Amino acid sequence: IRTLNENFNLNIRDYAFVNFDSFEKVVDTIGGVNIELNESEVREINKHIKNSSIKTPGMNHLNGQEALTYSRIRKIGNGDYERTERQRRVIEEIFEKGKNIGITKYPEVVDSVFPYVETSLTKMDIVKLGTYGLTNNIKILEQNRFPKDEHSHGEFIGKVWYLVTDLEETEKQIHEFIYEDDNINQEEEALN
């Protein structure tokens, strides 16, 4: 958080962190996720999981281990960019499941997932955010990836590959995404 705040002139105070082991448990706790897989992704999952139930491309229901393996695929497609896209897809599916469980079940779900998440938020904060999202009919999880392709490039420096970024432009884009979105500002005001 300090690195992000210092490099991009932000004031992030709250966070939620899930490591790979916890990620798998969170997905299993919510009953898995539905993900559209291509042929290469199916092959990669089956290469790393001997008894995977995933056999064909298309929409598949992934358990925690399969979702984690899917999220870690890096050697096909557009490398790390596509890997982070896969991770965001799983997070979006978790969000979708959360929208459909109903307000009365939120405390129970938060209780079951909370041990696997390191966060600055309390259980009550998370329940309030979930309730706010449901009662205000928030249907979209807004997400983005920074730096943008047009303001970064890969470069070997010495014998190590780095993603070289225009920090000023990236800071500007992050600020526009977070602070200049009218929907987000309205939602933030409502929470305060």
Side-chain angles (χ1 to χ4, degrees), residues 94-112:
I94 292 170
F95 174 78
E96 288 299 316
K97 283 198 113 169
K99 287 187 336 189
N100 297 319
I101 62 168
I103 292 173
T104 59
K105 293 198 180 230
Y106 262 36
E108 179 185 331
V109 171
V110 170
D111 273 345
S112 63

Side-chain angles (χ1 to χ4, degrees), residues 39-164:
E39 197 170 307
S40 298
E41 292 165 337
V42 170
R43 202 170 28 255
E44 282 295 308
I45 290 170
N46 285 306
K47 184 166 91 176
H48 296 284
I49 301 175
K50 298 289 185 228
N51 298 318
S52 171
S53 63
I54 310 302
K55 302 299 179 210
T56 59
M59 187 59 70
N60 281 274
H61 188 76
L62 279 58
N63 64 28
Q65 183 183 21
E66 293 161 340
L68 176 60
T69 302
Y70 165 78
S71 297
R72 296 181 77 180
I73 296 171
R74 164 189 310 234
K75 298 194 176 178
I76 61 170
N78 193 14
D80 197 53
Y81 294 119
E82 202 165 317
R83 180 178 67 94
T84 62
E85 185 179 313
R86 287 184 192 94
Q87 292 168 357
R88 289 190 305 277
R89 202 171 295 135
V90 172
I91 290 168
E92 192 168 322
E93 286 303 310
I94 292 170
F95 174 78
E96 288 299 316
K97 283 198 113 169
K99 287 187 336 189
N100 297 319
I101 62 168
I103 292 173
T104 59
K105 293 198 180 230
Y106 262 36
E108 179 185 331
V109 171
V110 170
D111 273 345
S112 63
V113 171
F114 201 77
Y116 307 118
V117 179
E118 180 183 319
T119 181
S120 61
L121 302 171
T122 66
K123 286 182 189 179
M124 186 53 71
D125 291 335
I126 295 169
V127 170
K128 283 181 186 176
L129 285 169
T131 302
Y132 175 83
L134 281 177
T135 58
N136 288 280
N137 206 23
I138 296 174
K139 295 185 185 272
I140 298 169
L141 176 64
E142 292 195 41
Q143 54 180 312
N144 216 319
R145 172 181 61 86
F146 299 99
K148 299 288 188 185
D149 293 341
E150 61 270 18
H151 297 288
S152 62
H153 66 278
E155 181 179 324
F156 276 97
I157 301 174
K159 293 184 178 185
V160 178
W161 187 91
Y162 291 92
L163 183 64
V164 180

